[in-house]
């Protein structure tokens, strides 16, 4: 099934949902430690970036600086769709919210400051309603 490419449909149908929990970005050399199940991994020359639940990071003794809430945009966006990330980032930036975006095959995932995650969902729902 191919994803949606029309920006208006992407925005109006994004249906953001806040996943439960708190997530952190950390980096390791080699693979993820035992007991750590990343929701995202990114291989970089400096090491393997992991996005993991804070409890798993703490239990494994992993260091981190940023605690995020994880929002999933439930619209199935095409990987070559244009404008969704920009529109979402602009909306959140206007409210002073940082946003780290990860594209999965089916959905886009946003990591925003945990303490403002519910606010971010509200802003995105407003953006969807305007589309």
């Amino acid at each position: 099934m191919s994803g949606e490419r029309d920006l208006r449909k992407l925005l109006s149908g994004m249906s953001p949902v806040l996943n439960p929990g708190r997530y952190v970005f950390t980096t390791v050399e080699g693979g993820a430690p035992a007991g750590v199940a990343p929701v995202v991994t990114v291989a970089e020359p400096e090491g393997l970036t992991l996005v993991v639940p804070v409890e798993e990071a703490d239990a494994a003794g992993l260091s981190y600086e940023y605690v995020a809430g994880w929002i999933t945009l439930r619209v199935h966006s095409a990987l070559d769709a244009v404008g969704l990330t920009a529109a979402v980032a602009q909306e959140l930036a206007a409210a002073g919210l940082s946003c780290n975006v990860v594209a999965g095959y089916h959905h886009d995932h946003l990591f925003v400051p945990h303490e403002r995650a519910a606010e971010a969902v509200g802003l995105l729902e407003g953006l969807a309603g305007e589309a």
Side-chain angles (χ1 to χ4, degrees):
M1 178 179 165
S2 63
E4 182 59 59
R5 287 181 180 82
D6 181 271
L7 182 57
R8 174 172 267 152
K9 290 179 183 177
L10 287 166
L11 291 171
S12 66
M14 66 180 157
S15 302
V17 63
L18 180 60
N19 296 288
R22 298 178 305 146
Y23 297 84
V24 298
F25 287 70
T26 189
T27 186
V28 298
E29 291 185 20
V36 174
V39 297
V40 174
T41 62
V42 179
E44 300 178 292
E46 300 85 356
L48 182 65
T49 297
L50 309 174
V51 180
V52 300
V54 69
E55 298 83 6
E56 292 180 16
D58 289 344
L62 298 172
S63 63
Y64 56 87
E65 298 174 6
Y66 176 73
V67 180
W70 172 18
I71 299 169
T72 298
L73 303 181
R74 291 182 286 184
V75 66
H76 181 187
S77 57
L79 290 169
D80 61 351
V82 176
L84 178 61
T85 301
V88 165
Q90 183 177 9
E91 185 73 15
L92 297 178
L97 278 158
S98 66
C99 178
N100 293 278
V101 180
V102 177
Y105 185 84
H106 294 284
H107 305 286
D108 291 288
H109 305 272
L110 316 174
F111 292 89
V112 300
H114 182 264
E115 66 277 4
R116 296 185 66 191
E119 176 187 355
V121 170
L123 290 167
L124 296 172
E125 289 172 339
L127 180 61
E130 294 171 6

